[in-house]
Amino acid sequence: MSTVVETDVLIVGSGPAGASAALALSTYGVPNIVVTRYASLADTPRAHITNQRTMEVLRDLGVEQDVVAQATPQHLMGNTTFCTSLAGEELGRVRSWGNDPLVQAAHELASPTRMCDMPQHLMEPVLVNAAVARGTRLRFETEYLSHSQDADGVTATVRDRLRGDTYEIRAKYLIGADGGRSKVAADAGLPMGGQMGVAGSINIVFEADLTRYTAHRPSTLYWVLAPGATVGGIGAGLVRCVRPWTEWLIVWGYDVTAGAPDLTTEYAEGIVRGLIGDDRIPVTVKSSSAWTVNEMYAERYSDGRVFCAGDAVHRHPPSNGLGSNTSIQDAYNLAWKLRLVLDGTAHPRLLDSYSAERAPIGRQIVTRANQSIRETAPVFEALDGLSPQTPEQLWANIAARKDTGEAAEKQRAALREAIAFKVYEFNAHGVDLNQRYPAESSAAIVPDGTPDPGFARDPELHHQPSSRPGARLPHAWITSGTRTLSTLDTVGRGRFTLLTGIGGEGWVRAAESQELEIATVVIGPGQEYEDPYGDWARLSEISEAGALLVRPDGFVAFRHASTAPDAGELLADALRRILGHV
Ligand code: FDA
């Protein structure tokens, strides 16, 4: 007879989505179990770019410094280089990941956190260890097989791969964070758009001391334009730094219609040697694996009591580094909602806002990542390297850019322009930080009647803060006594927070009179928090006596521009809507 284990939330998968869901739920005190198919966490580097929004999430969950301690810092990430091989000719660079001085300033103004490079095999243990320390029960070698749901919960059947037997886990909710081949999403019948298997790619993990070719132009990514580099893959050959400057991962394409090549060590070494371009360097291949570029997203992220997150619902190439970032952000959006529904504070209707808010983001990032692959073609075009040709012709075209004369000058200009355009992949600050949840689609956001401010500059490249409901709370440095902290540090920790200023006493009383615990933050001279630089006054978009109600995930849920005699009622009405009671 099979055993039945009970919990509040069952999470399938211990990747970035599942691990961060577990971490957030355990931080909020929600009992949860994680089952994961394999005997270990990720054993290869996989996703690595960790953007500011994710670092803010990790800061709230108390693991930011654990990540910073192990990650490659931002200043070593930023010289994305295009070359014929690491030892070969350099074709150009893009200042990336916030390392362009202007973008660097924008990064500093936007967030208390810094972007970093945290390979997935290092990130997962940070998330999982913290989750387990806070109460998550984790079962390795346990495979999700199926689920059924009824009015009160979900029953999942799992297989213990060590013993070979199956048992049931009864949970109130199920999170499918089981990656790009998600069985949970398939079993839940989530409608998917787009296409799987657009192109073929190979990852090769290897060790080699490449200091002499990389330390003078420190970067996370070195792109290699060489014969065969346009076949499949992610736009060109890629040498990615895992640990400066001795651990690496190469991404190389294959023709998906011909099937994956036989990944022998000799085959992998041949690719590695070609991309390094210096046979004197000792190389140790650690592993290689084939995968496909996908362009697929779920139109809906949930079915009843089943919610999917991460690659289960958005499947895309690594371009722009959005994989684990979006997965962690999905989980963070979902966890506080589950907590409030489980403890009876919110109506289950609140959970509908998960799909309403996150599915459009998923679709956007899938499209962006695939678009970034296509935007590498002009780099080859500038070298006349897209038309079928022999390797000798490609090398001759590349060499031609060094000639005198009008044609060569034109070629150099086209190459510069095509490489510079890659900022949409390597410096897209807006893609990282401009996520907004419109009140028209999410019931967990209360419209304040103001028009959508849109974006004054390219929304993919430039971050534009806003305190309009549905936007992430703008970051400003404020002080409390001798302490300097971010406005974002005053929110989170699983609670709603009301921010106001001098004259906002009515809002503070209103917050204190609600049944739901709401933290209050008063910013102004002589208050607990002060705004010595005047940054908050510039960014808050409300008068000092106005109020912002911020959700546990740092998004503004309700805004009132000034003082209000009926603040208590306004806030109560807003909370009823946000918590799904109307
Ligand atoms: P993820 O795939 O990380 O995790 C899924 C989890 O579910 C795993 O723990 C797995 O064991 C578990 N699972 C699956 N089926 C299960 C079942 N039936 N029962 C129990 N558990 C089950 N991204 C990037 O930006 N740069 C890169 O270079 C790479 N490279 C890369 C290489 C390889 C080999 C892979 C597989 C993926 C990448 N990625 C990547 C993508 C990146 O890793 C991905 O976007 C994130 O890991 C997504 O996180 P998730 O948690 O959603 O899924």
Side-chain angles (χ1 to χ4, degrees):
M1 196 170 70
S2 73
T3 331
V4 181
V5 176
E6 293 194 5
T7 189
D8 276 8
V9 182
L10 170 63
I11 301 163
V12 179
S14 57
S20 49
L23 174 56
L25 289 169
S26 287
T27 306
Y28 305 154
V30 177
N32 63 90
I33 293 176
V34 174
V35 294
T36 189
R37 180 194 272 152
Y38 302 109
S40 72
L41 301 176
D43 56 0
T44 54
R46 304 183 195 178
H48 55 122
I49 303 292
T50 307
N51 67 33
Q52 285 181 296
R53 181 59 196 147
T54 299
M55 291 303 284
E56 289 171 1
V57 170
L58 301 178
R59 185 177 173 99
D60 181 43
L61 296 176
V63 294
E64 181 195 18
Q65 288 314 316
D66 298 320
V67 171
V68 169
Q70 295 191 58
T72 300
Q74 186 176 22
H75 72 274
L76 294 181
M77 296 169 67
N79 286 285
T80 299
T81 300
F82 288 80
C83 54
T84 58
S85 70
L86 286 186
E89 289 188 36
E90 181 171 317
L91 303 168
R93 302 181 195 177
V94 187
R95 291 194 185 91
S96 308
W97 316 120
N99 283 285
D100 177 297
L102 288 174
V103 185
Q104 197 169 33
H107 274 235
E108 290 206 9
L109 289 167
S111 172
T113 67
R114 289 291 154 268
M115 198 169 206
C116 62
D117 185 304
M118 183 69 170
Q120 194 169 328
H121 65 302
L122 303 177
M123 177 70 93
E124 286 186 14
V126 169
L127 301 174
V128 166
N129 288 344
V132 169
R134 295 177 201 178
T136 293
R137 287 180 293 162
L138 170 68
R139 289 293 175 272
F140 284 109
E141 293 207 70
T142 303
E143 184 178 9
Y144 159 89
L145 297 178
S146 63
H147 75 263
S148 61
Q149 56 174 314
D150 52 52
D152 304 316
V154 185
T155 303
T157 304
V158 300
R159 188 164 68 93
D160 183 319
R161 298 180 77 195
L162 203 58
R163 294 191 313 231
D165 61 337
T166 62
Y167 61 98
E168 289 182 343
I169 301 179
R170 175 76 178 164
K172 292 179 183 127
Y173 292 97
L174 169 64
I175 299 180
D178 51 340
R181 284 191 274 260
S182 174
K183 181 152 170 39
V184 178
D187 291 349
L190 301 189
M192 307 294 289
Q195 198 191 338
M196 293 286 270
V198 179
S201 265
I202 301 161
N203 275 10
I204 304 168
V205 181
F206 66 101
E207 288 172 355
D209 186 348
L210 299 178
T211 309
R212 82 172 74 164
Y213 297 120
T214 53
H216 63 286
R217 47 182 177 182
S219 180
T220 283
L221 306 175
Y222 300 85
W223 293 89
V224 177
L225 281 77
T230 52
V231 179
I234 53 173
L238 173 65
V239 184
R240 173 192 138 191
C241 178
V242 176
R243 298 268 88 184
W245 308 107
T246 52
E247 288 181 40
W248 302 89
L249 185 154
I250 274 177
V251 183
W252 186 252
Y254 67 86
D255 177 1
V256 78
T257 59
D262 188 9
L263 298 178
T264 61
T265 306
E266 293 69 36
Y267 176 84
E269 263 176 22
I271 293 171
V272 171
R273 296 230 165 267
L275 270 61
I276 293 176
D278 179 352
D279 286 346
R280 294 166 305 172
I281 303 259
V283 166
T284 309
V285 171
K286 309 294 282 185
S287 67
S288 49
S289 56
W291 52 283
T292 61
V293 171
N294 304 316
E295 187 160 10
M296 185 164 261
Y297 46 83
E299 316 270 4
R300 181 162 50 77
Y301 282 12
S302 62
D303 173 58
R305 291 173 171 270
V306 180
F307 297 82
C308 285
D311 276 16
V313 278
H314 34 78
R315 301 164 191 174
H316 54 91
S319 325
N320 292 70
L322 295 166
S324 63
N325 287 299
T326 311
S327 304
I328 290 171
Q329 293 159 21
D330 287 345
Y332 190 60
N333 180 290
L334 178 60
W336 69 269
K337 295 173 181 172
L338 283 172
R339 182 242 183 131
L340 290 184
V341 171
L342 281 162
D343 75 10
T345 304
H347 188 278
R349 218 178 274 128
L350 169 62
L351 297 170
D352 296 343
S353 67
Y354 170 62
S355 200
E357 293 176 355
R358 296 304 298 173
I361 303 285
R363 185 176 185 156
Q364 179 208 339
I365 60 116
V366 167
T367 308
R368 176 66 256 168
N370 279 280
Q371 174 72 5
S372 289
I373 292 185
R374 293 188 275 273
E375 287 168 359
T376 303
V379 180
F380 281 91
E381 257 162 30
L383 299 163
D384 195 19
L386 278 182
S387 48
Q389 55 190 295
T390 63
E392 291 70 29
Q393 279 168 325
L394 179 63
W395 295 133
N397 290 342
I398 289 174
R401 82 192 194 291
K402 291 180 278 191
D403 292 348
T404 53
E406 207 181 315
E409 192 170 340
K410 262 192 175 163
Q411 192 194 21
R412 287 193 292 275
L415 184 61
R416 273 197 304 275
E417 199 181 316
I419 289 179
F421 197 74
K422 293 298 294 175
V423 287
Y424 282 91
E425 178 170 356
F426 307 124
N427 235 346
H429 199 210
V431 172
D432 293 349
L433 283 185
N434 280 339
Q435 294 179 6
R436 291 181 185 170
Y437 305 141
E440 297 77 47
S441 47
S442 171
I445 301 295
V446 183
D448 71 346
T450 59
D452 183 347
F455 293 94
R457 296 193 293 168
D458 189 322
E460 291 199 294
L461 294 185
H462 303 287
H463 164 54
Q464 182 173 312
S466 170
S467 75
R468 187 171 184 258
R472 155 189 161 277
L473 178 73
H475 152 71
W477 289 117
I478 54 175
T479 56
S480 181
T482 55
R483 199 171 141 231
T484 300
L485 70 166
S486 167
T487 42
L488 289 165
D489 294 328
T490 67
V491 305
R493 278 159 283 159
R495 305 164 312 177
F496 277 81
T497 306
L498 182 124
L499 286 90
T500 185
I502 290 179
E505 300 80 14
W507 288 111
V508 173
R509 280 195 300 278
E512 287 168 355
S513 69
Q514 305 300 319
E515 240 173 79
L516 175 72
E517 189 207 339
I518 300 175
T520 54
V521 172
V522 182
I523 305 175
Q527 307 301 313
E528 186 183 354
Y529 300 97
E530 302 206 22
D531 179 26
Y533 306 103
D535 290 347
W536 179 240
R538 271 193 299 280
L539 288 165
S540 67
E541 298 175 345
I542 51 170
S543 77
E544 289 177 73
L548 299 178
L549 180 67
V550 181
R551 309 191 316 190
D553 60 0
F555 278 74
V556 178
F558 163 85
R559 175 170 82 166
H560 198 87
S562 58
T563 186
D566 53 349
E569 252 170 71
L570 287 174
L571 203 56
D573 279 352
L575 282 167
R576 269 196 293 276
R577 174 183 161 128
I578 296 161
L579 299 176
H581 292 303
V582 287

